[in-house]
Amino acid sequence: MDTEAQPTERDRSSRPAPPGHPPDGEGPEGRSRFALAARITDWLPGGRISLTLLICLVSLLLLNTFVAQPFQIPSGSMENGLRTGDRVLVNKLAYRFGAAPRRGDVVVFDGTGYFGDADYVKRVVGVGGDHVVCCDQEGRIRVNGRSVDESTFLHPGDSPSTVPFDVVVPDGTLFVLGDHRSDSRDSRDHLGSPGGGMIPVHDVVGRVDWIVWPTAHLTRLKRPDAYARVPAADGHAGVPSAAPTGGRTPAASPGAAGGAHG
């Protein structure tokens, strides 16, 4: 049985406006918006094209400042995961809303006053309160009494460390190491420097989540499960480092991108 179609919202909105009422978008507010855009395009050399490019540029600057920033890897201190020349994308929101760096994260940080006047990329091995020791009888690093098997990400042929150390990481700081331990200047090399080789959490730029160039090396970094069984430090609730989640040597800056060192 045929039924009469009911008017949809679109049908009603498309009816002619009553006499004396301007169509939608042509009232005083709509006219003022169009007039403002017209005045801007008239003022800008190049008109609408220049306005579009300007909006895109501002959007990219905001994205780069507050959300994500590309960095270039200039050395081999994080091989084989990050190779010389790789472009990585750093998630600047990863630690903005109460979250903190976790063991196993690869982070970019400002090393000014601690490592050198540059940005660096390293792996977090210890967080505030952790007791980090090198090494156990099998040559593995121990964190809070638990030996950590780093074989899945260490550079082939490297030992966890040829430099012995026994440190307690102060609250609000990080103990960081490069994956290519024999070619990395990291917390081990700055134990006698200001800050004792520790990186203040507030100097962390963000977490390295993606390798975006070259395309053949396109990868999302994940937190390794090597630290999954590391217990929280005594007196610290801690955040478990179990589930992998999608994871500065100085680096050169490609255009608007920064550079992170190894």
Side-chain angles (χ1 to χ4, degrees):
M1 180 175 68
D2 293 338
T3 57
E4 182 180 357
Q6 297 298 313
T8 64
E9 194 66 32
R10 180 175 179 179
D11 295 328
R12 289 193 291 269
S13 64
S14 62
R15 292 175 181 173
H21 291 77
D24 290 344
E26 293 186 11
E29 184 179 350
R31 286 197 299 269
S32 64
R33 288 198 299 266
F34 292 133
L36 177 60
R39 285 197 296 271
I40 293 175
T41 54
D42 288 342
W43 174 75
L44 281 174
R48 291 184 178 180
I49 294 177
S50 296
L51 179 60
T52 301
L53 292 175
L54 181 61
I55 292 173
C56 291
L57 178 60
V58 171
S59 299
L60 285 173
L61 288 174
L62 291 174
L63 183 69
N64 188 74
T65 302
F66 299 108
V67 181
Q69 183 176 353
F71 285 81
Q72 180 179 350
I73 306 301
S75 75
S77 72
M78 285 296 292
E79 291 179 341
N80 281 341
L82 303 180
R83 306 169 189 173
T84 304
D86 279 354
R87 269 72 165 180
V88 299
L89 194 63
V90 172
N91 180 356
K92 301 180 79 170
L93 296 179
Y95 309 125
R96 287 286 179 89
F97 303 103
R102 297 169 65 181
R103 304 179 200 99
D105 284 353
V106 176
V107 298
V108 168
F109 59 91
D110 180 1
T112 303
Y114 302 92
F115 277 41
D117 296 334
D119 291 328
Y120 291 79
V121 59
K122 301 293 180 185
R123 189 178 297 278
V124 176
V125 173
V127 298
D130 282 351
H131 183 198
V132 187
V133 179
C134 177
C135 288
D136 67 10
Q137 293 182 347
E138 297 180 21
R140 298 173 299 181
I141 287 176
R142 292 176 65 86
V143 183
N144 300 334
R146 174 77 65 171
S147 296
V148 179
D149 180 6
E150 301 177 289
S151 59
T152 58
F153 53 83
L154 279 186
H155 187 275
D158 272 8
S159 63
S161 181
T162 57
V163 178
F165 52 82
D166 186 336
V167 298
V168 174
V169 184
D171 287 340
T173 67
L174 306 172
F175 186 83
V176 297
L177 299 175
D179 288 354
H180 194 173
R181 301 284 160 84
S182 63
D183 190 31
S184 173
R185 291 185 59 81
D186 43 44
S187 288
R188 299 169 298 169
D189 301 285
H190 297 276
L191 294 176
S193 303
M198 310 298 168
I199 301 303
V201 171
H202 60 72
D203 284 338
V204 172
V205 177
R207 184 182 65 210
V208 180
D209 278 358
W210 286 90
I211 302 171
V212 295
W213 186 263
T215 54
H217 199 197
L218 178 66
T219 308
R220 181 177 181 181
L221 273 65
K222 296 183 178 180
R223 183 184 301 114
D225 60 6
Y227 301 91
R229 297 181 181 179
V230 173
D234 291 342
H236 291 70
V239 177
S241 301
T245 62
R248 213 174 184 163
T249 305
S253 169
H261 292 67

